[in-house]
Amino acid sequence: MVSFDGRAPGTPVEAWEADPRLLDLPPLDGAVVPTSVSRLVVLAAHPDDETLGAGGLIAHAAAHGIPVTVVVVTDGAASHPGSTTSAEALVATRAEEARVAVGLLAPDVELVQWSIADGTVREARAEITERLRPLLPGPGGLLVAPWRGDGHRDHRVLGEIAAELVAEADQAGTTLLEYPIWMWHWGSPDHPDVPWASLRLSSLDAVADAAKRSALAAYVSQRRPLSDAPEDAPVLHPVFERHFTRGREVFVVAEPGSGPATEATFDRTHARRADPWRVTTRWYERRKRALTVASLPRERYGRVLEVGCSIGVLTGDLAPAADRLLALDVSSVAVQAARERLANLPHVTVEQADAAADYPSGTFDLVVLSEVGYYLAPDAFGRLVDAIVDGLADDGDVVACHWTQPEGDFRQSADDVHARLGADPRLHRVSHHVEGDFVLDVFSRDPRSVAERTGLR
């Protein structure tokens, strides 16, 4: 269970250090050599993230004359839910603590504080992206952000924004590092989500280590009780805090899957977890699948194609409506899991294939695209749509369902995906369902409604 309760001790330092891989990590070469970095920009989702994750790097860079900017995105007001301290007072306290802490890391560091509401980084994604763009370090610079795999939503989204900005053409030559914080708490050396292959170790010299410890001590509101009320207990448990005072920092570099999703990306995702997106356990996912199946204009189909079947959960729900069902996925790991799940359904075939590059032959009465279109670049998805419609029966249907919130490995948005389907003159949109987090459309060569098809009007 992933936990973000810093009041709990979490995994102790000793458990991590018992694994020889930690201290044998490759060193963080190049990125911290003073002559190799033109500018350092460190992003923090909350006040104190910059010190916990990269305080030593900030102190080291500034001591060697590298210009440093620290951007604290949120106001940190959600650190003590139910606190007797007013939100206004806590915001002011955390802002002042950040000012003092960054000054202790290095007096010449530029501190930028935006005071976006704590917990709303995803909702403010577009605003944050635009405000960050002019602050980027540029070619030869180093951008440091929270690790996208840290689990905490604010950390993940800010890390995704950083990765997206660095990928832009005018940022060629900018290096991206990511720092884990909550991983040390909820993780353990054998946890499947720990990216050992991408971790690098930065040992702090005595000056940088002392500066980091002093800066961390400045965050009194996180380390000491705000009052005697249980809600005002310290946010940083001493056992958790020790991860950040051990004379070293760990960064994630060139994380697998940080760019466009590939076959290898999905293989790694499925190898780590049997159900990567918790489609079997989350009510959100179960309900969405039920809505997807309920949206089918026909009760029964002859030949059905599902593109991007993952572990075959939706496939199993579609199977009763099909005479024959072909399910495809690019991941061999996912395909094997889907085959095992659907082994008792002889009319279902699961194959490893990239439908955008090698679309199956024959005519299909129904094609289902669930949570897959945005992984394809627009031109590749356009070719897939052409192939789908070319191979669609004269009265065939296409069902598309996609998450509308942005993610780091999406090549386009859900709106773009559904707009491309809707732009094909051979297709008619026969139903359209929109919620805050996903869109579900049914397109068909047959423009008639379900009532018309079934003779009700």
Side-chain angles (χ1 to χ4, degrees):
M1 179 77 68
V2 174
S3 171
F4 305 111
D5 183 6
R7 297 175 177 86
T11 305
V13 168
E14 290 78 11
W16 285 94
E17 292 184 340
D19 192 307
R21 289 177 294 181
L22 181 64
L23 297 182
D24 288 343
L25 287 173
L28 186 65
D29 291 330
V32 296
V33 176
T35 58
S36 68
V37 175
S38 60
R39 184 167 166 241
L40 170 64
V41 176
V42 176
L43 309 183
H46 314 97
D48 78 0
D49 288 343
E50 79 296 328
T51 298
L52 294 169
L57 178 60
I58 293 169
H60 176 86
H64 288 83
I66 299 173
V68 181
T69 298
V70 172
V71 181
V72 179
V73 173
T74 76
D75 58 19
S79 65
H80 292 75
S83 173
T84 58
T85 302
S86 70
E88 293 78 8
L90 188 55
V91 167
T93 295
R94 299 206 68 185
E96 177 62 15
E97 288 174 346
R99 187 191 66 78
V100 172
V102 170
L104 289 169
L105 291 174
D108 296 329
V109 171
E110 177 189 19
L111 174 61
V112 179
Q113 295 179 285
W114 286 341
S115 296
I116 288 171
D118 195 350
T120 67
V121 173
R122 188 180 75 179
E123 290 74 12
R125 186 175 191 134
E127 175 190 351
I128 293 169
T129 300
E130 292 309 308
R131 294 176 72 173
L132 272 180
R133 189 170 276 112
L135 298 177
L136 296 178
L142 177 61
L143 181 64
V144 180
W147 176 45
R148 283 166 280 173
D150 217 26
H152 192 290
R153 190 180 77 163
D154 283 352
H155 291 202
R156 173 180 62 82
V157 176
L158 186 56
E160 289 172 358
I161 293 171
E164 291 164 4
L165 288 171
V166 167
E168 293 181 351
D170 60 353
Q171 290 301 312
T174 301
T175 299
L176 175 66
L177 294 180
E178 301 177 49
Y179 56 83
I181 290 180
W182 287 104
M183 181 188 80
W184 306 115
H185 187 269
W186 55 253
S188 63
D190 294 326
H191 195 288
D193 289 346
V194 176
W196 282 107
S198 302
L199 298 181
R200 298 295 182 269
L201 185 67
S202 176
S203 297
L204 306 183
D205 60 32
V207 174
D209 183 48
K212 178 169 181 168
R213 290 171 183 267
S214 296
L216 184 55
Y219 283 105
V220 178
S221 69
Q222 309 303 292
R223 302 176 65 250
R224 299 287 183 268
L226 295 179
S227 74
D228 292 334
E231 296 82 3
D232 286 340
V235 173
L236 284 173
H237 190 285
V239 172
F240 184 28
E241 184 178 331
R242 285 184 58 212
H243 288 287
F244 310 103
T245 58
R246 53 189 176 177
R248 60 182 179 272
E249 291 173 340
V250 174
F251 296 93
V252 181
V253 298
E255 182 187 6
S258 60
T262 63
E263 175 185 335
T265 303
F266 290 114
D267 275 346
R268 283 189 294 267
T269 298
H270 287 94
R272 283 187 211 159
R273 294 176 183 267
D275 183 3
W277 293 280
R278 302 179 194 170
V279 297
T280 60
T281 57
R282 283 177 170 157
W283 165 240
Y284 166 84
E285 295 289 351
R286 300 199 308 273
R287 174 178 174 272
K288 185 185 65 177
R289 283 199 309 279
L291 288 169
T292 300
V293 174
S295 74
L296 299 179
R298 289 159 56 181
E299 186 175 9
R300 191 79 187 177
Y301 290 89
R303 192 164 182 240
V304 175
L305 172 67
E306 182 188 6
V307 178
C309 68
S310 185
I311 60 175
V313 180
L314 177 59
T315 317
D317 291 343
L318 293 169
D323 293 337
R324 289 177 294 162
L325 197 164
L326 173 61
L328 307 179
D329 201 277
V330 297
S331 167
S332 61
V333 180
V335 165
Q336 182 59 36
R339 286 173 175 168
E340 293 173 2
R341 179 182 299 277
L342 305 166
N344 64 332
L345 300 175
H347 69 298
V348 175
T349 302
V350 184
E351 295 181 357
Q352 182 185 5
D354 180 355
D358 187 17
Y359 193 78
S361 60
T363 300
F364 292 96
D365 302 294
L366 170 67
V367 178
V368 177
L369 300 167
S370 180
E371 312 297 356
V372 66
Y374 36 49
Y375 289 116
L376 298 172
D379 55 346
F381 184 70
R383 292 192 296 271
L384 175 60
V385 172
D386 289 338
I388 288 172
V389 182
D390 288 343
L392 198 62
D394 290 341
D395 59 350
D397 300 322
V398 179
V399 175
C401 183
H402 290 87
W403 173 254
T404 53
Q405 302 301 327
E407 300 287 346
D409 50 0
F410 287 179
R411 308 295 300 280
Q412 55 182 327
S413 70
D415 289 342
D416 294 332
V417 168
H418 287 241
R420 176 62 182 83
L421 285 162
D424 193 299
R426 298 168 290 177
L427 293 178
H428 307 273
R429 184 182 269 111
V430 296
S431 69
H432 180 56
H433 178 81
V434 179
E435 296 191 10
D437 296 304
F438 73 92
V439 57
L440 170 61
D441 278 322
V442 178
F443 302 92
S444 181
R445 280 185 175 272
D446 184 348
R448 295 178 300 162
S449 70
V450 175
E452 289 176 293
R453 294 187 191 195
T454 56
L456 290 179
R457 70 180 183 90

